[in-house]
Amino acid sequence: MSSDQQYPYDPYGQSYQPDPHVTQTWEGQTWDTQYQPTVQQGRPVQPPQQPPQPAAPYPTGAADTAYLPPVAASGPYPLPPETQAVPGAYGAQAPAPAAPARAGAATAATASTAGPAYNAPTTLGNTRVTDAQRARAEGRSPIIPPGIQPAGLTAVLGLLLAAAGAAASPYVLLVPLVLLQAVTAAGWFRLNGMWPARQGIALAFAGGVAADVVLVAAGREHAPAAIIGTLGVWVLLTLVLQLRSRAGADERMQGLMATVASAALTILAAGYLAAEPDAVVVGGLAVAAATVARALPLPGAASVVVALLAAAGAGIAAAGFTGTGSGGGALLGLGAGVCALVGLRVASYDYPSRFVHMTAGVALPLTAAAPIVYLLGRALV
């Protein structure tokens, strides 16, 4: 504690030192603002003891308790008397008049005296409102197609699958298929707003690789049992891992559904290994053509029609290099094109990011077409 807090303030610059052998006792009012002690050359004179005064009666009216001290215009609290400069005293100068307030300050002061003013409500500060919710509230569509760059990557991957299918070797087909499964696993988790989800992505990708290994070992004739058996094992494994999680119930359920769906899509992509090589060629070319045609700047309905026609035309063109025939090639290409458009629609939903477009937007058209390529390939080839 400083000395100016221990002893009263002396306007003449001398500190007040009380006698340590004298004990002072205050009764009644403990401070008299009207009395100023006389200061001598030496030790200051002790102020005389005030006689005890009767306590004031407790105020009973609300008006007696509503008194507030006047506030000076220079600030929220009045200055003490000793700090106010007196003209001509000890060389002090009179304070300069305050500068006139600007028009904006005067207007604000007038508005504050008139009453509180409130601006219009806004939701700009609400960070929980997503782009999709804002788009729905404004009447806009939350659908954004992936665009031409993901379509080009899908076309390249489809051409790789078609070329590997033309080679009629499951080991050659494994190279683009494993890449497709990796992009599918990562894109599905990001599409569901889960990132990073390394354990879930690794688990789903491992399921796809396990299905590939089982298919290569068992052969095409045992493809349904291999795919369904691998899917059942991975669903059970995912359930066990989610039960061991310490997250909340809602988070565990969301993670369980996303992991099961991602593993199922990744395992179903192994259907290209189970399909006939000619069907893989037709399906890869049809998905590539449909995806690129859908990315062209055309109206919605016209773009869908053009994409389906391009898929059927690609199937007919591929039929000349395979034994499917023109009719079978057109039907297989049309089915693959429909599945490709469904995959593009899923990857376009709810304002996805560029990362979603470059993963799910690339892989889902080909992944969604794998079951139809297997089924129609067995029926038509």
Side-chain angles (χ1 to χ4, degrees), residues 4 14-15 126 168 209 211 256 259 303 309 328:
D4 56 345
Q14 300 179 357
S15 60
N126 189 1
V209 173
L256 174 64
T259 307
S303 178
L309 291 177

Side-chain angles (χ1 to χ4, degrees), residues 6 12 36 38 53 61 97 101 154 197-198 204 211 238 257 291 300 349 352:
Q6 293 179 351
Y12 295 97
Q36 297 294 335
T38 302
Q53 299 180 1
T154 304
R198 300 180 182 89
T238 302
M257 299 305 296
T291 306
Y349 182 69

Side-chain angles (χ1 to χ4, degrees), residues 164 167-177 215-216 220 273:
S169 173
Y171 299 101
V172 176
L173 187 58
L174 277 175
V175 177
L177 180 58
L215 278 172
V216 171
R220 292 192 183 96
L273 276 177

Side-chain angles (χ1 to χ4, degrees), residues 92-113:
Q93 301 294 332
R102 293 182 296 180
T107 306
T110 307
S112 62
T113 55

